[in-house]
Amino acid sequence: MSDKNVCNAGFTPSGILRGSLASSMMSHEAKASGGGVHSGGPTSTLQEMGARGTTHSSGFTSNGISSGSLASNKMSQEARSHGGGIPRGGTTSTVLSISMGGKGGRR
C-alpha cells in the first residue's frame, strides 16, 4: 500500500506528475533552497522510491517504519543530527507521512 500511496502522490516511475502533491513539494523545496532540489531531501527520496517501487521494501510502510530497515536507520541518523528528535517537514517524517497516505505535512 505504501508504494501505491507514493505513486498516488505523484512520485511515479516516469517522473513527477504535473499538478500533483509531488510537483507542489518539488516547487516548494526548490524555492526554499534557491532553485534546486537537494539529494537526500524529501522530494528526491520520494521520487527515487516512487520510480523504483521500493517504499515498502525500504521500511516505510502504511503502518509505520519497520524495525531494522533502511527507514529505521535513516530515522535514527536524522534524529541524531537534530539532537534526538525528527523534525517536522524533514525527510523521514515527510516520506513516512506520504507512504501512510498523508500529505507529508502539507495542506
Side-chain angles (χ1 to χ4, degrees):
M1 187 64 170
S2 58
D3 289 319
K4 182 176 175 150
N5 289 337
V6 169
C7 186
N8 287 344
F11 297 99
T12 72
S14 58
I16 291 178
L17 294 178
R18 183 182 312 170
S20 66
L21 174 63
S23 68
S24 175
M25 285 179 61
M26 182 176 69
S27 175
H28 182 70
E29 193 174 329
K31 286 176 186 172
S33 67
V37 175
H38 296 288
S39 176
T43 301
S44 64
T45 300
L46 281 159
Q47 181 53 39
E48 179 183 351
M49 291 179 176
R52 295 181 179 175
T54 60
T55 309
H56 186 83
S57 62
S58 295
F60 291 100
T61 74
S62 53
N63 293 318
I65 292 178
S66 299
S67 176
S69 66
L70 175 66
S72 68
N73 290 336
K74 279 184 169 285
M75 182 176 70
S76 294
Q77 193 174 38
E78 192 171 9
R80 280 192 300 275
S81 70
H82 287 91
I86 303 298
R88 182 172 188 229
T91 301
T92 302
S93 60
T94 302
V95 173
L96 181 59
S97 173
I98 289 176
S99 69
M100 295 179 79
K103 295 182 179 180
R106 275 105 180 134
R107 296 175 190 195

